[in-house]
Coordinates of all heavy atoms in Angstrom, one line a residue:
N1 N 83.4 85.7 126.9 CA 82.9 86.2 128.2 C 84.0 86.7 129.1 O 83.8 87.3 130.2 CB 82.2 85.1 128.9 CG 80.9 84.7 128.2 OD1 80.2 85.5 127.6 ND2 80.6 83.4 128.2
A2 N 85.3 86.4 128.7 CA 86.4 86.7 129.6 C 87.3 87.9 129.3 O 88.2 88.2 130.0 CB 87.3 85.4 129.7
C3 N 87.0 88.5 128.1 CA 87.9 89.6 127.7 C 87.2 90.7 127.0 O 86.1 90.5 126.4 CB 89.1 89.0 126.9 SG 88.7 88.5 125.2
D4 N 87.9 91.8 127.0 CA 87.4 93.0 126.2 C 88.1 93.1 124.8 O 87.5 93.5 123.8 CB 87.7 94.3 126.9 CG 87.1 94.3 128.3 OD1 85.9 94.0 128.5 OD2 87.9 94.6 129.3
V5 N 89.4 92.6 124.8 CA 90.2 92.7 123.6 C 90.8 91.4 123.3 O 91.5 90.8 124.2 CB 91.3 93.8 123.7 CG1 92.1 93.8 122.4 CG2 90.7 95.2 123.9
F6 N 90.6 90.8 122.1 CA 91.2 89.6 121.7 C 92.2 89.9 120.6 O 91.8 90.4 119.6 CB 90.1 88.7 121.2 CG 90.6 87.3 120.6 CD1 90.9 86.3 121.5 CD2 90.6 87.1 119.3 CE1 91.4 85.1 121.0 CE2 91.1 85.8 118.8 CZ 91.4 84.8 119.7
I7 N 93.5 89.6 120.9 CA 94.5 90.0 120.0 C 95.1 88.7 119.3 O 95.5 87.8 119.9 CB 95.7 90.7 120.7 CG1 95.2 91.9 121.4 CG2 96.8 91.1 119.7 CD1 96.2 92.6 122.3
V8 N 95.0 88.7 117.9 CA 95.4 87.6 117.1 C 96.8 88.0 116.6 O 97.0 89.0 115.9 CB 94.5 87.4 115.9 CG1 95.0 86.2 115.1 CG2 93.1 87.1 116.4
I9 N 97.8 87.2 117.0 CA 99.2 87.5 116.6 C 99.7 86.5 115.6 O 99.8 85.3 115.8 CB 100.1 87.4 117.9 CG1 99.6 88.3 119.0 CG2 101.6 87.8 117.5 CD1 100.3 88.1 120.3
G10 N 100.0 87.0 114.4 CA 100.4 86.2 113.3 C 100.7 87.0 112.1 O 100.3 88.2 112.0
V11 N 101.3 86.4 111.1 CA 101.6 87.1 109.8 C 101.4 86.1 108.7 O 101.4 84.9 108.9 CB 103.1 87.5 109.8 CG1 104.1 86.4 109.7 CG2 103.4 88.5 108.7
G12 N 101.0 86.6 107.5 CA 100.8 85.8 106.4 C 99.6 84.9 106.6 O 98.5 85.4 107.1
G13 N 99.7 83.6 106.3 CA 98.6 82.7 106.4 C 98.1 82.5 107.8 O 97.0 82.0 108.0
S14 N 98.9 82.9 108.8 CA 98.5 82.8 110.2 C 97.4 83.8 110.6 O 96.8 83.6 111.7 CB 99.7 82.9 111.1 OG 100.6 81.9 110.9
Y15 N 97.2 84.8 109.8 CA 96.2 85.8 110.2 C 95.3 86.2 109.0 O 94.1 86.6 109.2 CB 96.8 87.0 110.9 CG 97.1 88.1 109.9 CD1 96.3 89.3 109.8 CD2 98.2 88.1 109.1 CE1 96.6 90.3 109.0 CE2 98.5 89.1 108.2 CZ 97.7 90.2 108.2 OH 98.0 91.2 107.3
L16 N 95.8 86.1 107.8 CA 95.0 86.6 106.7 C 93.7 85.9 106.5 O 92.7 86.5 106.1 CB 95.8 86.5 105.4 CG 96.8 87.7 105.2 CD1 97.8 87.3 104.0 CD2 96.1 89.0 104.9
G17 N 93.7 84.6 106.7 CA 92.5 83.8 106.5 C 91.4 84.2 107.4 O 90.2 84.4 107.1
S18 N 91.7 84.2 108.7 CA 90.7 84.6 109.7 C 90.2 86.0 109.6 O 89.0 86.3 109.7 CB 91.2 84.4 111.2 OG 92.4 85.1 111.4
K19 N 91.2 86.9 109.2 CA 90.8 88.3 109.0 C 89.8 88.4 107.8 O 88.9 89.2 107.8 CB 92.0 89.2 108.8 CG 91.7 90.7 108.8 CD 93.0 91.5 108.8 CE 92.8 93.0 109.1 NZ 91.9 93.6 108.1
A20 N 90.1 87.6 106.8 CA 89.3 87.6 105.6 C 87.8 87.3 105.9 O 86.9 88.0 105.5 CB 89.8 86.7 104.5
I21 N 87.6 86.3 106.7 CA 86.2 85.8 107.1 C 85.6 86.8 108.1 O 84.4 87.2 107.9 CB 86.3 84.4 107.7 CG1 86.9 83.4 106.7 CG2 84.9 84.0 108.1 CD1 86.2 83.4 105.3
I22 N 86.4 87.3 109.1 CA 85.8 88.2 110.0 C 85.4 89.5 109.4 O 84.3 90.0 109.6 CB 86.9 88.4 111.2 CG1 87.0 87.2 112.0 CG2 86.5 89.7 112.0 CD1 88.2 87.2 113.0
D23 N 86.2 90.1 108.5 CA 85.9 91.3 107.9 C 84.8 91.2 106.9 O 84.0 92.1 106.7 CB 87.1 91.9 107.1 CG 88.2 92.5 108.1 OD1 87.9 92.5 109.3 OD2 89.3 92.8 107.6
A24 N 84.6 90.0 106.2 CA 83.5 89.8 105.3 C 82.2 89.7 106.0 O 81.2 90.1 105.4 CB 83.8 88.5 104.5
L25 N 82.2 89.3 107.3 CA 80.9 89.2 108.0 C 80.7 90.2 109.1 O 79.7 90.3 109.7 CB 80.9 87.8 108.7 CG 81.0 86.6 107.7 CD1 81.2 85.3 108.4 CD2 79.8 86.5 106.8
R26 N 81.7 91.1 109.3 CA 81.6 92.1 110.3 C 80.7 93.3 109.8 O 81.0 93.8 108.7 CB 83.0 92.6 110.7 CG 83.1 93.6 111.9 CD 84.3 94.4 111.8 NE 85.6 93.7 111.7 CZ 86.3 93.3 112.8 NH1 86.0 93.7 114.0 NH2 87.5 92.7 112.6
P27 N 79.8 93.8 110.6 CA 79.0 95.0 110.2 C 80.0 96.2 110.1 O 81.0 96.2 110.9 CB 78.0 95.2 111.3 CG 77.9 93.9 112.0 CD 79.2 93.2 111.8
Y28 N 79.8 97.1 109.2 CA 80.7 98.2 109.0 C 80.9 99.1 110.2 O 82.0 99.5 110.5 CB 80.2 99.0 107.8 CG 80.6 98.5 106.4 CD1 79.6 98.1 105.6 CD2 81.9 98.3 106.0 CE1 79.9 97.6 104.3 CE2 82.3 97.8 104.8 CZ 81.3 97.4 103.9 OH 81.6 96.9 102.7
F29 N 79.8 99.4 110.9 CA 79.9 100.4 111.9 C 79.5 100.0 113.3 O 78.9 100.7 114.1 CB 79.0 101.6 111.5 CG 79.4 102.1 110.1 CD1 78.6 102.0 109.0 CD2 80.6 102.8 110.0 CE1 78.9 102.5 107.8 CE2 81.0 103.3 108.7 CZ 80.1 103.1 107.6
S30 N 79.8 98.7 113.7 CA 79.6 98.3 115.0 C 80.8 97.5 115.5 O 81.4 96.7 114.7 CB 78.4 97.4 115.1 OG 78.5 96.2 114.4
K31 N 81.2 97.6 116.7 CA 82.4 96.9 117.3 C 81.9 95.6 117.8 O 80.9 95.4 118.4 CB 83.0 97.7 118.4 CG 83.8 98.9 117.9 CD 84.6 99.6 119.0 CE 85.4 100.7 118.5 NZ 86.2 101.4 119.6
S32 N 82.8 94.6 117.5 CA 82.4 93.2 118.1 C 82.8 93.2 119.6 O 83.6 94.0 120.1 CB 83.2 92.2 117.3 OG 84.6 92.4 117.5
T33 N 82.2 92.3 120.3 CA 82.6 92.0 121.7 C 83.0 90.6 121.8 O 82.2 89.7 121.6 CB 81.4 92.3 122.6 OG1 80.9 93.7 122.3 CG2 81.7 92.2 124.0

């Protein structure tokens, strides 16, 4: 409710796991809010 852009800062295991789940569940052609 508080932001337009959420930036995840990390490398390797600090971001790959969350990106894996988010991309697996994200619709191809709609932006998340």
Side-chain angles (χ1 to χ4, degrees):
N1 294 324
C3 72
D4 304 309
V5 179
F6 179 75
I7 303 176
V8 182
I9 305 168
V11 68
S14 295
Y15 91 103
L16 278 170
S18 59
K19 191 172 191 301
I21 302 305
I22 289 168
D23 287 354
L25 298 172
R26 188 201 306 262
Y28 279 115
F29 303 110
S30 67
K31 287 186 177 180
S32 61
T33 305

